[in-house]
Amino acid sequence: DIQERPWFYGWQLFVPTYLTAYLSVTVSASGSYMLSNKRYFSLIIVLLLMILIFVITQSRMGLLGFLIALFLLVSEKLYRKELKISKAYLFASALLLIAIAGFYFFGMFDSLIARGSSYRSEIGGAVWKDTQICGVLLGCGFDFSFEIKTGTELHITEHSIYAYQLLRSGFVGLSLLLTMIAFTIVSGLRSKSPWLYAFVAGCGCLLVEGQSLLAQPRAITQFLFWLPFSMVFIAEINMGKDQKGIECPPAS
């Protein structure tokens, strides 16, 4: 990584993976709003700028989160029949795929795939081995020190919030986390909150980012997970008040 992204270490205040993760969450929520309000030109400009930043920073974490949120958005629009598969839609999709294939052919995405899996499979295997030693039901506890050496690098994080939860609290803790995520998605679909897509994008980013959600959570988990979670929860409460005829304050 140092040889491929020297500026990553030269300016420690700038972390490209975090930047693209924040961007993924923001664009997923605002993109849903722009799509619902048919602001297609603005949406295209925002998406192009986001892709450009992904390529420049050579970071894939935000891209992963955005693609998962995009899949949910398109699936929901098709299910609600708000997005119809017309000839124009198929034509635009075909042009987009051709453009992506062209960019790939000319090497525009080489920077995104040059680092491979970044030892994710080896780290995941070490997490599972430690979990089995401690006990797969309750895990190793939150004071457990994880580390694995790959080549010349020493990794001290699990590089996935879900691997972190599995190692620290076993299947019990991981199941509770996944259940909370599932209920939040259902709540967001019911309230039609654009923050749902920010939440899903954040959960997607955390697939490859090993931080804690409960024990000493860092700023990135608060922005990627807890903030959109709270906004979806507020939208659900306001929807319940509206259905009961209770006057709600205007959303900020």
Side-chain angles (χ1 to χ4, degrees):
D1 276 9
I2 296 179
Q3 295 178 350
E4 294 163 356
R5 298 189 294 182
W7 45 268
F8 180 98
Y9 295 89
W11 185 17
Q12 294 183 5
L13 292 178
F14 177 65
V15 182
T17 52
Y18 290 0
L19 170 66
T20 57
Y22 296 149
L23 188 63
S24 172
V25 168
T26 304
V27 172
S28 296
S30 59
S32 168
Y33 174 82
M34 287 185 282
L35 183 62
S36 299
N37 289 273
K38 299 181 179 181
R39 299 182 180 181
Y40 301 126
F41 180 76
S42 299
L43 178 60
I44 292 174
I45 296 299
V46 169
L47 291 178
L48 289 176
L49 288 174
M50 181 183 65
I51 293 174
L52 178 62
I53 293 176
F54 285 162
V55 172
I56 291 175
T57 58
Q58 304 176 19
S59 176
R60 300 162 296 183
M61 185 167 74
L63 179 61
L64 176 62
F66 175 76
L67 290 177
I68 294 176
L70 179 63
F71 176 79
L72 176 63
L73 175 62
V74 173
S75 300
E76 182 200 6
K77 295 296 182 182
L78 290 174
Y79 177 78
R80 298 183 188 274
K81 297 182 179 180
E82 297 176 2
L83 182 64
K84 297 181 179 180
I85 302 179
S86 61
K87 292 181 179 179
Y89 175 80
L90 292 175
F91 180 72
S93 299
L95 286 180
L96 179 61
L97 290 175
I98 292 173
I100 293 175
F103 290 148
Y104 178 81
F105 178 78
F106 286 105
M108 189 172 181
F109 300 135
D110 286 353
S111 61
L112 294 177
I113 61 178
R115 290 178 290 116
S117 64
S118 298
Y119 301 108
R120 289 300 195 282
S121 58
E122 291 86 348
I123 294 172
V127 167
W128 177 239
K129 182 178 179 181
D130 287 344
T131 304
Q132 288 180 304
I133 294 174
C134 296
V136 296
L137 189 61
L138 298 177
C140 300
F142 285 92
D143 61 344
F144 181 80
S145 297
F146 172 81
E147 64 178 37
I148 175 178
K149 189 173 183 180
T150 55
T152 59
E153 295 185 64
L154 179 65
H155 303 272
I156 58 173
T157 64
E158 297 80 357
H159 284 278
S160 172
I161 195 69
Y162 308 100
Y164 178 97
Q165 200 68 33
L166 174 64
L167 176 61
R168 311 294 167 160
S169 57
F171 281 129
V172 172
L174 180 60
S175 298
L176 290 174
L177 173 61
L178 295 178
T179 300
M180 184 174 68
I181 291 174
F183 274 107
T184 305
I185 293 175
V186 171
S187 175
L189 290 172
R190 187 165 51 237
S191 63
K192 297 183 179 181
S193 171
W195 282 95
L196 166 64
Y197 306 104
F199 177 77
V200 172
C203 290
C205 292
L206 292 174
L207 278 168
V208 292
E209 175 61 27
Q211 302 288 349
S212 172
L213 290 175
L214 299 174
Q216 297 179 339
R218 296 175 62 181
I220 185 173
T221 56
Q222 295 176 25
F223 187 86
L224 297 184
F225 189 93
W226 291 116
L227 175 60
F229 166 80
S230 300
M231 297 305 293
V232 172
F233 185 68
I234 291 172
E236 175 80 5
I237 294 176
N238 285 339
M239 184 186 69
K241 290 181 178 180
D242 288 339
Q243 291 176 347
K244 294 179 180 180
I246 300 176
E247 185 178 353
C248 301
S252 56

